[in-house]
Amino acid sequence: MPDIITLQHVAEAAGVSAKTVSRVVNGDRHVSATTRNTVERAVARLGYRPNLAARSLVTARSYMVAIISPHLRGYYYSELHAAALTACKAQGYHLLIEEFTRSGKDDLMRLEESLRQMRLEGVVLTPPLSDDTALLDLIDRLGLRCVRIAPATALGRTDAVSANQEQGMIELAEHFVSEGHATFGIIASPSAVPSEYRHQFLTAALVQRGVDPDRIFIEQLDWDGPITRAARAAAARFLCAAPRPTAIFAASDMVAVPIIQFALEQGLRVPRDLSVAGCDDIDIAEAVWPPLTTLHQPIREIAHEAISLLLAPASAAKRHLTLTMPLVVRASTSAPSPDNVNSK
Amino acid sequence: MPDIITLQHVAEAAGVSAKTVSRVVNGDRHVSATTRNTVERAVARLGYRPNLAARSLVTARSYMVAIISPHLRGYYYSELHAAALTACKAQGYHLLIEEFTRSGKDDLMRLEESLRQMRLEGVVLTPPLSDDTALLDLIDRLGLRCVRIAPATALGRTDAVSANQEQGMIELAEHFVSEGHATFGIIASPSAVPSEYRHQFLTAALVQRGVDPDRIFIEQLDWDGPITRAARAAAARFLCAAPRPTAIFAASDMVAVPIIQFALEQGLRVPRDLSVAGCDDIDIAEAVWPPLTTLHQPIREIAHEAISLLLAPASAAKRHLTLTMPLVVRASTSAPSPDNVNSK
DNA sequence: CTGTTAGCGCTTTCAG
DNA sequence: CTGAAAGCGCTAACAG
């Protein structure tokens, strides 16, 4: 038995032509049941597997798509990649995971090289790459299909999938206001995944529910150092504000956790003296103390829908799918204690 | 300009044969400097990129390797995959990430199909798959090169890379003992990543340093539910023990975090009343409160070395690389408070 | 319903 | 140092 079994071998074993074997293997219906049976048995007996390279060469199809992200690590991206991988496999596709950081001029060229070599059939872009115009141009130039996750600009340019940040922020605002909070700290995280508009949505939702805009403090996260330190610094600034916020929205869980830590160190009780809500619902959110109230990102669903859109027949009209972000209330938020409400 | 640029087009543009272009592209040195120059310019001008499928077809090489893991999600695996991806890219290889869970009979067959289709050049196995005999047999049968991460059995069968669990546990034991702890709780996590021997190493190291074996309590983690609940249950059992442990080793950070949470809820001070150490050094370890003392898993280095071993020329003698696990002392461990040391 | 012919883009002989 | 011919394993087009 030869080391590598080709269509030819199967054809000989089954006493038919190579093309017929090809038909059977590819599920072409124009084959008689008996022939199909013979061939299938030969395939099974010989352990034949089609050579993807050969098939790809002649069909000019690769059965590969890529997902391009600025990072490979971190909860958000690794969940996204894992889910995309699963979705691709289910459809018989392979997924290439590409890292793309905009540091030098030739990054784009290297990416182009990689994309063209693989003869990809489509790409998924993750935020904030979804809004990288040069990248979108490249993809257009290569004639690649594209689905963007959480794009903020040029919404009609490609198919897209987003979580509904605005709805999430409204839910959170309702939660805070109904608990009786009146003074807020919001961390705005410009380059955060996946949206820079969260704090605007939240502010708007809060004001719309009667919160005094002067009692909403916004702090920018300093991305130049470790995120833990940046979060603590922002928390420190909130705690100096007058009146002091009784509720903080932290832009992400990775920011919420060190904020809570900092508050606890300062002798504050969480949530009694300070409620803190995060965003993402990462795996650790329910393991920390107190468990985090947070907005759940439907990451797996997002990835799944993105791949479905990518592999489904294109439609002339661009599709944009929006998924809700459920609020998961745990123990890091509650009504403020009376002393705080009255304070100052 | 044709949509797809082939060697032929470049050859015509440069006025040479296709083979010469091939030589230049592949860095063959038997080409005159002038010819090489002409060709390179034509390549650049036309934006030529070799077609991997064609190349793969004729060379029977795919420039692809796979990493096979039981999960796609979770810190340990996603870090491993990300690092492996980076290492592969640096060497001009592509990485296929495969999920393999042993649930049904035909899982192995499906994996075989996937591996054979892709004409892989090698695979990396992650724990506990590194000890799956049937999987190893399949890989042998397919004639695939293989590097295992943290194997526990059949050590001479393939190349391998491990973190030095024993050295790590010794460091931790020294830390605990030198802080003055005398009573310990150890969580044994049989199916945990990446080693079931940790608790044995730690117990041995502790005893060797004079700890009374009767004062080492070992609890099994119940994997049937959410890990948070299992961890809390184990912690509860420790807190009932007499004498009560003043130091707990938690098998992983994901277990350590809810244990600390539970202890805090019970009114214990951490680390004064109870020191807790984890293992892995996941990203959240320094963001929680108190920051976690933990053994750092050199995941990136492990992945990097595994890929290097896989792509380096095979050697007749199997190689096994062992990387140290540095102890990262943070604030979740300290000397026990006097009341606890004396208690019972 | 089935087989033949041709060729995808590249690299490997083996000659010049 | 360079080129011509052959073919990797598969499928598209056309016959039959």
Side-chain angles (χ1 to χ4, degrees), chain A residues 47 49 52 54 57 64 72-73 78-79 82 113 116 118 254 257 261 264-265 284 287-289 300, chain B residues 47 49 51-52 57 64 72-73 78-79 82 94 113 116 118 254 257 261 264-265 284 287-289 300:
Chain A
R49 294 291 178 285
L52 250 42
L57 181 59
M64 281 216 188
L72 265 19
R73 332 172 70 201
S78 47
E79 285 292 293
E113 174 127 1
R116 293 184 55 168
M118 290 271 99
M254 282 301 284
V257 168
Q261 164 177 2
L264 292 173
E265 287 171 22
I284 205 86
V288 295
W289 188 73
R300 311 194 62 164
Chain B
R49 295 290 178 286
N51 180 327
L52 249 42
L57 182 59
M64 282 216 188
L72 265 19
R73 334 173 66 201
S78 49
E79 285 291 293
H94 293 279
E113 174 124 2
R116 294 185 55 168
M118 291 270 98
M254 282 301 284
V257 168
Q261 163 177 2
L264 293 173
E265 287 171 21
I284 205 86
V288 295
W289 188 72
R300 312 194 62 164

Side-chain angles (χ1 to χ4, degrees), chain A residues 4-137:
Chain A
I4 207 158
I5 291 132
T6 75
L7 219 51
Q8 205 52 245
H9 300 137
V10 180
E12 281 161 21
V16 297
S17 77
K19 180 63 210 174
T20 301
V21 180
S22 169
R23 287 198 178 96
V24 172
V25 169
N26 291 295
D28 189 316
R29 282 169 328 175
H30 300 275
V31 184
S32 75
T34 47
T35 311
R36 148 162 289 121
N37 218 279
T38 321
V39 171
E40 274 170 352
R41 221 169 2 228
V43 165
R45 185 155 43 81
L46 266 45
Y48 167 76
R49 294 291 178 285
N51 181 327
L52 250 42
R55 177 181 285 176
S56 173
L57 181 59
V58 61
T59 56
R61 291 180 35 68
S62 63
Y63 294 92
M64 281 216 188
V65 297
I67 186 164
I68 310 181
S69 296
H71 308 286
L72 265 19
R73 332 172 70 201
Y75 182 80
Y76 180 80
Y77 293 108
S78 47
E79 285 292 293
L80 215 47
H81 298 163
L85 209 52
T86 307
C88 280
K89 208 199 298 199
Q91 306 218 36
Y93 272 71
H94 294 278
L95 179 72
L96 214 61
I97 302 171
E98 283 287 331
E99 187 177 27
F100 176 61
T101 22
R102 230 98 173 21
S103 38
K105 262 275 177 46
D106 47 76
D107 287 336
L108 208 60
M109 280 186 51
R110 264 210 300 279
L111 181 70
E112 174 170 358
E113 174 127 1
S114 192
L115 297 186
R116 293 184 55 168
Q117 278 206 167
M118 290 271 99
R119 300 291 194 272
L120 294 176
E121 295 182 28
V123 298
V124 174
L125 257 34
T126 65
L129 263 26
S130 298
D131 296 308
D132 187 316
T133 314
L135 189 50
L136 284 168
D137 290 345

Side-chain angles (χ1 to χ4, degrees), chain B residues 7 19 22 48 55:
Chain B
L7 218 52
K19 179 61 213 174
S22 170
Y48 166 76
R55 178 181 283 178

Side-chain angles (χ1 to χ4, degrees), chain B residues 117-132:
Chain B
Q117 277 207 168
M118 291 270 98
R119 300 293 194 269
L120 295 176
E121 296 183 26
V123 298
V124 173
L125 257 34
T126 64
L129 264 27
S130 298
D131 296 309
D132 188 315

Side-chain angles (χ1 to χ4, degrees), chain B residues 172 175-176 179-181 183-186 238-239 244-250 256 259-260 263 268-278 290-293 329-337 340:
Chain B
L172 182 59
H175 170 66
F176 276 151
E179 291 284 3
H181 291 276
T183 311
F184 300 88
I186 298 178
F238 281 138
L239 299 190
R244 183 173 70 63
T246 58
I248 289 179
F249 171 67
I259 285 180
I260 291 177
L268 293 177
R269 294 163 301 171
V270 177
R272 286 294 304 238
D273 300 324
L274 185 69
S275 288
V276 180
L292 225 49
T293 292
V329 178
R330 287 193 276 248
S332 69
T333 57
S334 73
S337 77
N340 287 299

Side-chain angles (χ1 to χ4, degrees), chain B residues 92-170:
Chain B
Y93 272 72
H94 293 279
L95 179 71
L96 214 60
I97 302 173
E98 284 288 330
E99 188 177 28
F100 176 61
T101 22
R102 230 94 174 23
S103 38
K105 263 274 177 47
D106 47 78
D107 287 336
L108 208 60
M109 280 187 51
R110 264 210 299 279
L111 180 71
E112 175 171 356
E113 174 124 2
S114 191
L115 297 187
R116 294 185 55 168
Q117 277 207 168
M118 291 270 98
R119 300 293 194 269
L120 295 176
E121 296 183 26
V123 298
V124 173
L125 257 34
T126 64
L129 264 27
S130 298
D131 296 309
D132 188 315
T133 314
L135 189 50
L136 285 167
D137 291 344
L138 168 63
I139 288 166
D140 274 357
R141 191 147 44 77
L142 261 33
L144 252 33
R145 304 199 49 182
C146 176
V147 174
R148 290 183 293 158
I149 291 176
T153 56
L155 260 30
R157 188 160 175 183
T158 67
D159 287 336
V161 183
S162 300
N164 194 337
Q165 309 288 331
E166 185 171 14
Q167 157 269 324
M169 291 303 135
I170 289 173

